[in-house]
């Protein structure tokens, strides 16, 4: 099979290359999947540098999530040849074939295509855990979404709108505001540089935001502490900016808000029943047309560098899907 292998960690992806590897063979409790769509996530990029919290030892095949058809399966797995499935693991998805534990895959509803199924995965799961499970999102609330043009950010905008919330979509790049307004249809879109609290206050008549969704960190987090209303929640999703911020605890004390850490994957591992319910809920919402992931581009796996470098430069609006 052809697979995208990380043979050596590097800052310029010089240790990443397409390679021909032996076809994997499923064992007990496993399924062999022919990959039709593999979704690019920011952790995939970070893992090529060894700068993600999960640090697999090279060589490893990149790719956290995928969709495709079952080629072979353990008879006890509940899957059969030809089943359309979506799922993944921390690595292995960017290949023509992948072996996964049967617990890591689920069937794709017949109304959804495989590209859509692959694009939803981690992005929508993260957004759902953050906003609904931990944030306890309610209709009519105001949500400030940072990194709104990324896959996770757009998923947060999409889910918040689907739950009847008002969305302020934020990006550090002004040229992305137009596409954001068109794709996410937020109540407002702002550039989150400098003292953006004033913009947020003006847009909310001084009330500020019930939830702030922050996958960026750094200065964005610092200023976001000034954007949360009393009783609100600042949802810490990641640190795309690079700097892990710190906060003096008197700030949430005085302002009466909570800082909530979001680890969607760990949440589902610790609470597998809730994790299963979340994915079933998201599938149903997609089938009903209440949520729709936006695909920035579909690429053959041979064009992997284009997708990774576009993500590195911050050019992506939505998801990149590789088709092995």
């Amino acid at each position: 099979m052809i697979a995208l292998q990380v043979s050596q960690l590097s800052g310029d992806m010089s240790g990443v290359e397409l390679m021909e590897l032996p076809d994997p063979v499923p064992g007990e409790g496993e399924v062999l999947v022919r990959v039709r769509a593999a979704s690019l996530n920011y952790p995939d990029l970070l893992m090529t540098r060894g700068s993600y919290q999960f640090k697999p030892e090279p060589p490893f095949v990149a790719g956290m999530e995928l969709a495709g058809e079952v080629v072979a399966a353990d008879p006890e797995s509940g899957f059969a040849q030809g089943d359309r499935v979506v799922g993944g693991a921390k690595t292995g998805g960017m290949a023509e074939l992948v072996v996964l534990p049967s617990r890591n895959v689920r069937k794709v509803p017949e109304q959804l295509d495989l590209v859509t199924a692959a694009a939803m995965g981690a992005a929508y799961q993260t957004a759902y855990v953050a906003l609904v499970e931990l944030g306890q999102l309610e209709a009519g609330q105001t949500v400030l979404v940072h990194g709104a043009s990324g896959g996770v950010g757009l998923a947060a905008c999409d889910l918040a709108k689907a739950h009847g919330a008002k969305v302020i979509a934020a990006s550090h790049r002004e040229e992305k505001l137009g596409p954001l307004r068109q794709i996410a249809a937020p109540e407002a879109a702002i550039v989150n540089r400098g003292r953006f609290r004033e913009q947020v206050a003006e847009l909310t008549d001084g009330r500020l935001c019930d939830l702030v969704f922050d996958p960026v960190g750094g200065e964005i987090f610092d200023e976001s502490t000034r954007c949360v209303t009393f009783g609100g929640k600042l949802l810490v999703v990641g640190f795309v900016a690079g700097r892990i911020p710190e906060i003096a605890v008197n700030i949430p004390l005085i302002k009466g808000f909570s800082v909530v850490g979001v680890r969607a994957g760990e949440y589902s591992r610790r609470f597998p029943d809730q994790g299963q319910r979340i994915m079933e809920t998201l599938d149903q919402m997609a089938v009903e047309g209440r949520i729709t992931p936006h695909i920035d581009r579909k690429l053959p796996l041979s064009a992997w560098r284009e997708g990774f470098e576009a993500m590195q430069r911050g050019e992506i609006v939505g998801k990149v899907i590789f088709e092995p």
Side-chain angles (χ1 to χ4, degrees), residues 148-149 154 157-158 161 167 169-170 174-190 292-296 317-318:
S149 62
L154 271 181
C157 293
D158 202 12
K161 293 282 289 185
V167 174
E174 191 164 357
E175 67 270 20
K176 287 191 173 183
L177 298 189
L180 271 176
R181 292 188 181 100
Q182 182 176 3
I183 296 165
E187 276 62 38
I190 65 171
T292 305
H294 178 73
I295 310 300
D296 182 277
V317 179

mmCIF file of all heavy atoms in Angstrom, residues 148-149 154 157-158 161 167 169-170 174-190 292-296 317-318:
data_model
loop_
_atom_site.group_PDB
_atom_site.id
_atom_site.type_symbol
_atom_site.label_atom_id
_atom_site.label_comp_id
_atom_site.label_asym_id
_atom_site.label_seq_id
_atom_site.Cartn_x
_atom_site.Cartn_y
_atom_site.Cartn_z
ATOM 1 N N ALA A 148 -11.912 30.799 13.892
ATOM 2 C CA ALA A 148 -13.197 30.385 13.316
ATOM 3 C C ALA A 148 -13.078 29.862 11.895
ATOM 4 O O ALA A 148 -14.001 29.203 11.406
ATOM 5 C CB ALA A 148 -14.190 31.542 13.368
ATOM 6 N N SER A 149 -11.973 30.119 11.210
ATOM 7 C CA SER A 149 -11.841 29.645 9.833
ATOM 8 C C SER A 149 -11.264 28.241 9.752
ATOM 9 O O SER A 149 -11.281 27.626 8.687
ATOM 10 C CB SER A 149 -10.955 30.603 9.029
ATOM 11 O OG SER A 149 -9.645 30.652 9.576
ATOM 12 N N LEU A 154 -14.816 26.353 12.564
ATOM 13 C CA LEU A 154 -16.043 26.349 11.760
ATOM 14 C C LEU A 154 -17.066 25.370 12.323
ATOM 15 O O LEU A 154 -18.273 25.640 12.303
ATOM 16 C CB LEU A 154 -15.725 25.985 10.311
ATOM 17 C CG LEU A 154 -15.373 27.131 9.364
ATOM 18 C CD1 LEU A 154 -15.121 26.595 7.961
ATOM 19 C CD2 LEU A 154 -16.458 28.197 9.326
ATOM 20 N N CYS A 157 -18.751 27.140 15.141
ATOM 21 C CA CYS A 157 -19.750 28.096 14.628
ATOM 22 C C CYS A 157 -21.010 27.357 14.178
ATOM 23 O O CYS A 157 -22.134 27.766 14.490
ATOM 24 C CB CYS A 157 -19.171 28.880 13.453
ATOM 25 S SG CYS A 157 -17.827 30.013 13.850
ATOM 26 N N ASP A 158 -20.821 26.280 13.443
ATOM 27 C CA ASP A 158 -21.932 25.506 12.893
ATOM 28 C C ASP A 158 -22.814 24.942 14.006
ATOM 29 O O ASP A 158 -24.052 25.059 13.979
ATOM 30 C CB ASP A 158 -21.347 24.375 12.040
ATOM 31 C CG ASP A 158 -22.331 23.822 11.010
ATOM 32 O OD1 ASP A 158 -23.380 24.444 10.789
ATOM 33 O OD2 ASP A 158 -22.024 22.769 10.416
ATOM 34 N N LYS A 161 -24.715 27.716 16.027
ATOM 35 C CA LYS A 161 -25.877 28.199 15.273
ATOM 36 C C LYS A 161 -27.004 27.164 15.298
ATOM 37 O O LYS A 161 -28.180 27.506 15.455
ATOM 38 C CB LYS A 161 -25.469 28.487 13.825
ATOM 39 C CG LYS A 161 -24.502 29.649 13.657
ATOM 40 C CD LYS A 161 -25.190 30.991 13.742
ATOM 41 C CE LYS A 161 -26.053 31.257 12.544
ATOM 42 N NZ LYS A 161 -26.629 32.622 12.567
ATOM 43 N N VAL A 167 -23.488 33.894 17.253
ATOM 44 C CA VAL A 167 -22.069 33.603 17.059
ATOM 45 C C VAL A 167 -21.307 34.846 16.614
ATOM 46 O O VAL A 167 -21.717 35.539 15.680
ATOM 47 C CB VAL A 167 -21.881 32.484 16.014
ATOM 48 C CG1 VAL A 167 -20.394 32.278 15.704
ATOM 49 C CG2 VAL A 167 -22.491 31.182 16.520
ATOM 50 N N ALA A 169 -17.757 35.238 15.103
ATOM 51 C CA ALA A 169 -16.638 34.488 14.545
ATOM 52 C C ALA A 169 -15.414 35.390 14.480
ATOM 53 O O ALA A 169 -15.497 36.521 13.983
ATOM 54 C CB ALA A 169 -16.992 33.965 13.149
ATOM 55 N N ALA A 170 -14.286 34.893 14.972
ATOM 56 C CA ALA A 170 -13.083 35.717 15.057
ATOM 57 C C ALA A 170 -11.903 35.052 14.356
ATOM 58 O O ALA A 170 -11.687 33.847 14.491
ATOM 59 C CB ALA A 170 -12.727 35.983 16.522
ATOM 60 N N GLU A 174 -7.752 39.418 8.351
ATOM 61 C CA GLU A 174 -8.916 40.166 7.862
ATOM 62 C C GLU A 174 -9.475 39.590 6.574
ATOM 63 O O GLU A 174 -10.699 39.623 6.339
ATOM 64 C CB GLU A 174 -8.525 41.627 7.659
ATOM 65 C CG GLU A 174 -9.709 42.529 7.413
ATOM 66 C CD GLU A 174 -9.381 44.008 7.593
ATOM 67 O OE1 GLU A 174 -8.235 44.321 7.960
ATOM 68 O OE2 GLU A 174 -10.287 44.827 7.360
ATOM 69 N N GLU A 175 -8.600 39.026 5.714
ATOM 70 C CA GLU A 175 -9.077 38.506 4.441
ATOM 71 C C GLU A 175 -9.974 37.282 4.605
ATOM 72 O O GLU A 175 -10.641 36.863 3.657
ATOM 73 C CB GLU A 175 -7.896 38.164 3.526
ATOM 74 C CG GLU A 175 -7.029 37.007 3.979
ATOM 75 C CD GLU A 175 -5.871 37.445 4.880
ATOM 76 O OE1 GLU A 175 -5.951 38.568 5.451
ATOM 77 O OE2 GLU A 175 -4.903 36.679 5.000
ATOM 78 N N LYS A 176 -10.010 36.708 5.809
ATOM 79 C CA LYS A 176 -10.865 35.540 6.038
ATOM 80 C C LYS A 176 -12.261 35.912 6.511
ATOM 81 O O LYS A 176 -13.138 35.050 6.586
ATOM 82 C CB LYS A 176 -10.211 34.607 7.060
ATOM 83 C CG LYS A 176 -9.010 33.856 6.509
ATOM 84 C CD LYS A 176 -8.561 32.758 7.443
ATOM 85 C CE LYS A 176 -7.468 31.911 6.800
ATOM 86 N NZ LYS A 176 -7.057 30.788 7.661
ATOM 87 N N LEU A 177 -12.486 37.186 6.819
ATOM 88 C CA LEU A 177 -13.791 37.575 7.336
ATOM 89 C C LEU A 177 -14.892 37.399 6.298
ATOM 90 O O LEU A 177 -16.008 36.983 6.620
ATOM 91 C CB LEU A 177 -13.762 39.012 7.841
ATOM 92 C CG LEU A 177 -12.809 39.306 9.011
ATOM 93 C CD1 LEU A 177 -13.069 40.711 9.544
ATOM 94 C CD2 LEU A 177 -12.940 38.273 10.117
ATOM 95 N N GLY A 178 -14.583 37.709 5.042
ATOM 96 C CA GLY A 178 -15.572 37.539 3.980
ATOM 97 C C GLY A 178 -16.007 36.089 3.832
ATOM 98 O O GLY A 178 -17.209 35.788 3.876
ATOM 99 N N PRO A 179 -15.047 35.161 3.642
ATOM 100 C CA PRO A 179 -15.432 33.744 3.578
ATOM 101 C C PRO A 179 -16.147 33.263 4.833
ATOM 102 O O PRO A 179 -17.091 32.460 4.746
ATOM 103 C CB PRO A 179 -14.087 33.029 3.401
ATOM 104 C CG PRO A 179 -13.206 34.031 2.743
ATOM 105 C CD PRO A 179 -13.628 35.355 3.311
ATOM 106 N N LEU A 180 -15.735 33.755 5.999
ATOM 107 C CA LEU A 180 -16.398 33.351 7.242
ATOM 108 C C LEU A 180 -17.858 33.777 7.248
ATOM 109 O O LEU A 180 -18.739 33.007 7.642
ATOM 110 C CB LEU A 180 -15.684 33.955 8.450
ATOM 111 C CG LEU A 180 -14.550 33.153 9.065
ATOM 112 C CD1 LEU A 180 -13.889 33.931 10.191
ATOM 113 C CD2 LEU A 180 -15.056 31.816 9.580
ATOM 114 N N ARG A 181 -18.120 35.010 6.832
ATOM 115 C CA ARG A 181 -19.508 35.487 6.798
ATOM 116 C C ARG A 181 -20.350 34.640 5.842
ATOM 117 O O ARG A 181 -21.517 34.348 6.117
ATOM 118 C CB ARG A 181 -19.545 36.956 6.376
ATOM 119 C CG ARG A 181 -18.944 37.918 7.398
ATOM 120 C CD ARG A 181 -19.183 39.359 6.994
ATOM 121 N NE ARG A 181 -18.599 40.282 7.959
ATOM 122 C CZ ARG A 181 -17.433 40.901 7.791
ATOM 123 N NH1 ARG A 181 -16.734 40.700 6.672
ATOM 124 N NH2 ARG A 181 -16.950 41.716 8.710
ATOM 125 N N GLN A 182 -19.750 34.237 4.736
ATOM 126 C CA GLN A 182 -20.488 33.473 3.742
ATOM 127 C C GLN A 182 -20.712 32.040 4.195
ATOM 128 O O GLN A 182 -21.812 31.490 4.040
ATOM 129 C CB GLN A 182 -19.716 33.476 2.416
ATOM 130 C CG GLN A 182 -20.433 32.748 1.287
ATOM 131 C CD GLN A 182 -19.684 32.847 -0.028
ATOM 132 O OE1 GLN A 182 -18.594 33.407 -0.097
ATOM 133 N NE2 GLN A 182 -20.255 32.307 -1.080
ATOM 134 N N ILE A 183 -19.690 31.413 4.774
ATOM 135 C CA ILE A 183 -19.768 29.989 5.114
ATOM 136 C C ILE A 183 -20.480 29.760 6.442
ATOM 137 O O ILE A 183 -21.355 28.904 6.563
ATOM 138 C CB ILE A 183 -18.351 29.378 5.159
ATOM 139 C CG1 ILE A 183 -17.703 29.444 3.772
ATOM 140 C CG2 ILE A 183 -18.400 27.932 5.668
ATOM 141 C CD1 ILE A 183 -16.205 29.204 3.792
ATOM 142 N N ALA A 184 -20.071 30.522 7.477
ATOM 143 C CA ALA A 184 -20.580 30.278 8.834
ATOM 144 C C ALA A 184 -21.831 31.073 9.163
ATOM 145 O O ALA A 184 -22.538 30.739 10.114
ATOM 146 C CB ALA A 184 -19.489 30.594 9.859
ATOM 147 N N ALA A 185 -22.104 32.138 8.408
ATOM 148 C CA ALA A 185 -23.266 32.998 8.654
ATOM 149 C C ALA A 185 -23.380 33.414 10.118
ATOM 150 O O ALA A 185 -24.445 33.276 10.732
ATOM 151 C CB ALA A 185 -24.551 32.316 8.197
ATOM 152 N N PRO A 186 -22.291 33.941 10.708
ATOM 153 C CA PRO A 186 -22.372 34.375 12.108
ATOM 154 C C PRO A 186 -23.127 35.690 12.226
ATOM 155 O O PRO A 186 -23.379 36.364 11.219
ATOM 156 C CB PRO A 186 -20.894 34.564 12.487
ATOM 157 C CG PRO A 186 -20.246 35.003 11.199
ATOM 158 C CD PRO A 186 -20.988 34.250 10.111
ATOM 159 N N GLU A 187 -23.471 36.041 13.456
ATOM 160 C CA GLU A 187 -24.080 37.361 13.675
ATOM 161 C C GLU A 187 -23.069 38.472 13.420
ATOM 162 O O GLU A 187 -23.432 39.582 13.031
ATOM 163 C CB GLU A 187 -24.625 37.459 15.099
ATOM 164 C CG GLU A 187 -26.028 36.871 15.282
ATOM 165 C CD GLU A 187 -26.094 35.391 14.981
ATOM 166 O OE1 GLU A 187 -25.135 34.652 15.319
ATOM 167 O OE2 GLU A 187 -27.121 34.959 14.415
ATOM 168 N N ALA A 188 -21.785 38.164 13.636
ATOM 169 C CA ALA A 188 -20.724 39.133 13.381
ATOM 170 C C ALA A 188 -19.416 38.390 13.166
ATOM 171 O O ALA A 188 -19.237 37.267 13.639
ATOM 172 C CB ALA A 188 -20.586 40.101 14.550
ATOM 173 N N ALA A 189 -18.495 39.011 12.445
ATOM 174 C CA ALA A 189 -17.155 38.466 12.247
ATOM 175 C C ALA A 189 -16.153 39.579 12.532
ATOM 176 O O ALA A 189 -16.302 40.699 12.028
ATOM 177 C CB ALA A 189 -16.982 37.950 10.819
ATOM 178 N N ILE A 190 -15.149 39.283 13.345
ATOM 179 C CA ILE A 190 -14.197 40.311 13.771
ATOM 180 C C ILE A 190 -12.758 39.813 13.611
ATOM 181 O O ILE A 190 -12.504 38.609 13.559
ATOM 182 C CB ILE A 190 -14.419 40.719 15.242
ATOM 183 C CG1 ILE A 190 -14.113 39.538 16.184
ATOM 184 C CG2 ILE A 190 -15.835 41.243 15.455
ATOM 185 C CD1 ILE A 190 -14.089 39.928 17.654
ATOM 186 N N THR A 292 -23.215 21.105 8.594
ATOM 187 C CA THR A 292 -22.558 20.718 7.342
ATOM 188 C C THR A 292 -21.098 21.146 7.393
ATOM 189 O O THR A 292 -20.808 22.358 7.416
ATOM 190 C CB THR A 292 -23.227 21.388 6.120
ATOM 191 O OG1 THR A 292 -24.622 21.090 6.123
ATOM 192 C CG2 THR A 292 -22.600 20.894 4.832
ATOM 193 N N PRO A 293 -20.156 20.210 7.416
ATOM 194 C CA PRO A 293 -18.747 20.609 7.412
ATOM 195 C C PRO A 293 -18.365 21.249 6.084
ATOM 196 O O PRO A 293 -18.852 20.843 5.019
ATOM 197 C CB PRO A 293 -17.995 19.289 7.633
ATOM 198 C CG PRO A 293 -18.940 18.235 7.166
ATOM 199 C CD PRO A 293 -20.319 18.746 7.462
ATOM 200 N N HIS A 294 -17.513 22.263 6.148
ATOM 201 C CA HIS A 294 -17.070 22.929 4.926
ATOM 202 C C HIS A 294 -15.722 22.355 4.498
ATOM 203 O O HIS A 294 -14.776 22.313 5.281
ATOM 204 C CB HIS A 294 -16.933 24.435 5.156
ATOM 205 C CG HIS A 294 -16.433 25.162 3.944
ATOM 206 N ND1 HIS A 294 -17.223 25.370 2.837
ATOM 207 C CD2 HIS A 294 -15.212 25.695 3.653
ATOM 208 C CE1 HIS A 294 -16.527 26.023 1.928
ATOM 209 N NE2 HIS A 294 -15.312 26.223 2.393
ATOM 210 N N ILE A 295 -15.639 21.921 3.243
ATOM 211 C CA ILE A 295 -14.411 21.356 2.698
ATOM 212 C C ILE A 295 -13.653 22.452 1.946
ATOM 213 O O ILE A 295 -14.156 22.985 0.951
ATOM 214 C CB ILE A 295 -14.705 20.175 1.748
ATOM 215 C CG1 ILE A 295 -15.665 19.169 2.400
ATOM 216 C CG2 ILE A 295 -13.405 19.501 1.321
ATOM 217 C CD1 ILE A 295 -15.163 18.550 3.661
ATOM 218 N N ASP A 296 -12.468 22.797 2.427
ATOM 219 C CA ASP A 296 -11.649 23.800 1.737
ATOM 220 C C ASP A 296 -11.122 23.246 0.421
ATOM 221 O O ASP A 296 -11.179 23.906 -0.612
ATOM 222 C CB ASP A 296 -10.480 24.214 2.626
ATOM 223 C CG ASP A 296 -9.610 25.286 1.995
ATOM 224 O OD1 ASP A 296 -8.721 24.956 1.181
ATOM 225 O OD2 ASP A 296 -9.820 26.471 2.314
ATOM 226 N N VAL A 317 -9.666 27.394 5.055
ATOM 227 C CA VAL A 317 -10.970 27.737 5.623
ATOM 228 C C VAL A 317 -11.801 26.459 5.604
ATOM 229 O O VAL A 317 -12.334 26.063 4.565
ATOM 230 C CB VAL A 317 -11.673 28.858 4.831
ATOM 231 C CG1 VAL A 317 -13.032 29.158 5.451
ATOM 232 C CG2 VAL A 317 -10.816 30.112 4.787
ATOM 233 N N GLY A 318 -11.873 25.786 6.732
ATOM 234 C CA GLY A 318 -12.570 24.514 6.801
ATOM 235 C C GLY A 318 -11.603 23.355 6.834
ATOM 236 O O GLY A 318 -10.571 23.402 7.490
#
